[in-house]
Amino acid sequence: MKISGKVIIPDPICMTKMSKDSLFLSSFMLASSAFVSIGAFLLRYYSLVPVMLTYLTAAAVLSVLITSFFVHRGSRLAMNIGVILSALAILSSLSSISHLEAMTRIFRGGLITVLDLLEILGFYAFPLLYIFYWAVAARKRGVRSTGRKESRD
C-alpha cells in the first residue's frame, strides 16, 4: 500500500512482504520453466515437433516466468495463479498422447531418455512441489494469522 497524502492507495497486485515461501515457490516455477524450455528446444532441434507447438510452449514458459517474478515479489495473487498454472501443466501432460507413451515406456522398464527426464521434472515434479509447498505455506499463514489452529467443527 502506498500513502498519498491522506488517501491510501492499495497495491494493485496484492504485494506482501517477500519471504522464504515466495523464494521457494518462484524457484520451483523457474526450474519447471527451464526444464520445459530445454525439452522444447531439443524436440524442435531434432524436428520431433511442429514449429507451432514450439511457439505455444514458449508462450506458456513466458507466462510462467512472468508469474514467477510476481511470486518472488510476494504477490499472493501470483502465488494462486501459480497453482493454477502448475495444475494445468500436469493436466496438459496427462492429456498428451506422446507424453503418456513416454511415461508408459518408463514404467514398463524402458530406458529413460533425456527428454523423458525433462518431461518428468518440468511437467510433474516441480509443479507438484509448487502445489505442495503452496498448500503448506497457506496452512502456515492460516495458523499465524489467528495465533492458533482453526477448529473444523
Side-chain angles (χ1 to χ4, degrees), residues 20-42:
K20 184 176 77 169
D21 295 337
S22 61
L23 177 66
F24 278 119
L25 290 172
S26 64
S27 297
F28 295 148
M29 294 180 86
L30 289 174
S32 180
S33 295
F35 289 121
V36 169
S37 297
I38 293 168
F41 172 78
L42 290 174

Side-chain angles (χ1 to χ4, degrees), residues 87-153:
L88 286 175
I90 295 166
L91 292 175
S92 69
S93 182
L94 289 173
S95 66
S96 168
I97 294 170
S98 58
H99 282 217
L100 289 176
E101 288 174 357
M103 294 302 285
T104 55
R105 247 191 350 258
I106 292 169
F107 290 119
R108 287 187 183 155
L111 294 174
I112 297 178
T113 65
V114 171
L115 289 172
D116 295 336
L117 185 61
L118 291 171
E119 175 191 347
I120 291 169
L121 293 172
F123 285 99
Y124 297 106
F126 284 106
L128 283 172
L129 280 171
Y130 183 94
I131 293 169
F132 174 76
Y133 198 87
W134 173 84
V136 169
R139 184 175 170 100
K140 247 187 343 188
R141 276 194 311 271
V143 170
R144 269 193 244 138
S145 65
T146 61
R148 59 185 167 81
K149 291 186 179 179
E150 298 176 5
S151 65
R152 295 187 176 191
D153 294 337

